[in-house]
Amino acid sequence: MNELIATLRAGKSVFVLTGSGISAESGLPTFRGVGGLWRTHRVEELASPEGFARDPVLVWTWYNERRGAHERAQPNAGHFAMAQLEDVLDDFTLATQNVDSLHLRAGSRNVLELHGSLRQARCTHCSAGRSLGTAGLPLDEIDHACGGRWRPDIVWFGESLPQDVWQRAREAAARADVILVVGTSAVVYPAAALATNYNRRAFVAEINPEATPISNRVACALRGSAAQVLPRIVAALSSGETASPDLFVRPCG
Ligand SMILES: [Zn+2]
């Protein structure tokens, strides 16, 4: 961890990739775990353009449940530490695969939402946007006046990431001195490529309670949740103290 802290102190540019793991301690365990319908339907039925075309009411019922769960959830110590990290670094970019808005609610500013967010719906036909309230979209308002339908403004299975967001994330990953991979198994491409594919020179650290497919390729693997580990990194950065090594299977100096 001390090498990570030293590299963060010296580093001018930090890129962070987060996934569902950082929201686990906010009560949003996994993509599949929020909302009940995933128990009886395949996720592809609920989160794909084909599934939406087949049964938009079913799809919106699921996303409205998830939207409600996001609203009830609170950012945890991991989200808040991430916002504090941004405050003390010159060039900080946070790319998240989460659609729960918890990074923004915790105060992070330079956030790239790779998979969109559930704060918005957009029209399948004219691409108009509308904000979603805490209850999501009323089920009798799915049809838009133009003949299209309102859909969640998120990336579904089989869809590309939004180009502008993806481009900015790639650039931030490429120029980073330090890359933190937090709460993601880094297996969902293309987002996972941001962790290791665009920068051979950065110091890459992984924060995850479990080993992942990239664990043996990173400079430093911290075995703990974001809520456990990130506040300690921020505290060590701001106080100058060294951090205790008990969380680490792959010593970080
Ligand atoms: Zn429309």
Side-chain angles (χ1 to χ4, degrees):
M1 172 102 117
N2 294 333
E3 189 186 348
L4 171 60
I5 300 298
T7 313
L8 277 171
R9 277 207 188 97
K12 293 181 170 44
S13 181
V14 174
F15 174 76
V16 182
L17 175 68
T18 70
S20 60
I22 195 168
S23 294
E25 280 164 276
S26 293
L28 301 173
T30 65
F31 170 71
R32 288 170 167 78
V34 180
L37 283 168
W38 63 276
R39 294 176 204 278
T40 48
H41 296 78
R42 289 183 312 121
V43 161
E44 291 76 9
E45 285 178 61
L46 303 169
S48 72
E50 298 76 17
F52 183 68
R54 210 161 30 232
D55 195 342
V57 170
L58 173 75
V59 169
W60 268 115
T61 301
W62 190 56
Y63 280 102
N64 287 347
E65 285 180 39
R66 293 183 64 195
R67 170 77 178 150
H70 296 168
E71 282 295 318
R72 289 188 298 276
Q74 297 300 324
N76 64 53
H79 297 106
F80 287 117
M82 211 57 104
Q84 290 176 290
L85 201 54
E86 182 169 9
D87 288 339
V88 300
L89 294 165
D90 293 334
D91 179 18
F92 179 93
T93 304
L94 195 169
T96 185
Q97 300 166 90
N98 300 340
V99 299
D100 57 31
S101 303
L102 290 180
H103 283 301
L104 291 172
R105 284 173 56 196
S108 286
R109 298 180 302 277
N110 193 21
V111 178
L112 300 174
E113 294 176 306
L114 298 169
H115 293 171
S117 90
L118 268 184
R119 298 185 304 279
Q120 284 265 325
R122 75 164 190 271
C123 178
T124 55
H125 182 64
C126 70
S127 298
R130 73 178 265 181
S131 313
L132 293 175
T134 56
L137 185 80
L139 294 177
D140 58 358
E141 295 180 20
I142 294 174
D143 292 333
H144 188 217
C146 77
R149 284 169 171 161
W150 294 112
R151 58 162 282 178
D153 192 11
I154 60 170
V155 177
W156 276 332
F157 289 106
E159 295 185 319
S160 310
L161 305 193
Q163 269 313 304
D164 55 333
V165 172
W166 174 246
Q167 188 59 34
R168 286 167 62 200
R170 268 187 66 160
E171 287 166 6
R175 71 172 180 268
D177 302 308
V178 178
I179 294 178
L180 301 177
V181 185
V182 182
T184 172
S185 53
V187 291
V188 179
Y189 278 80
L194 293 169
T196 52
N197 286 23
Y198 299 114
N199 187 329
R200 305 282 172 210
R201 135 195 93 72
F203 185 95
V204 183
E206 173 186 67
I207 299 170
N208 204 305
E210 288 153 23
T212 77
I214 65 162
S215 294
N216 59 4
R217 289 192 280 145
V218 299
C220 162
L222 296 87
R223 286 286 161 265
S225 71
Q228 293 168 327
V229 175
L230 284 170
R232 294 166 65 170
I233 291 175
V234 171
L237 255 185
S238 46
S239 71
E241 71 191 29
T242 55
S244 74
D246 55 322
L247 291 170
F248 316 117
V249 290
R250 183 179 279 253
C252 310

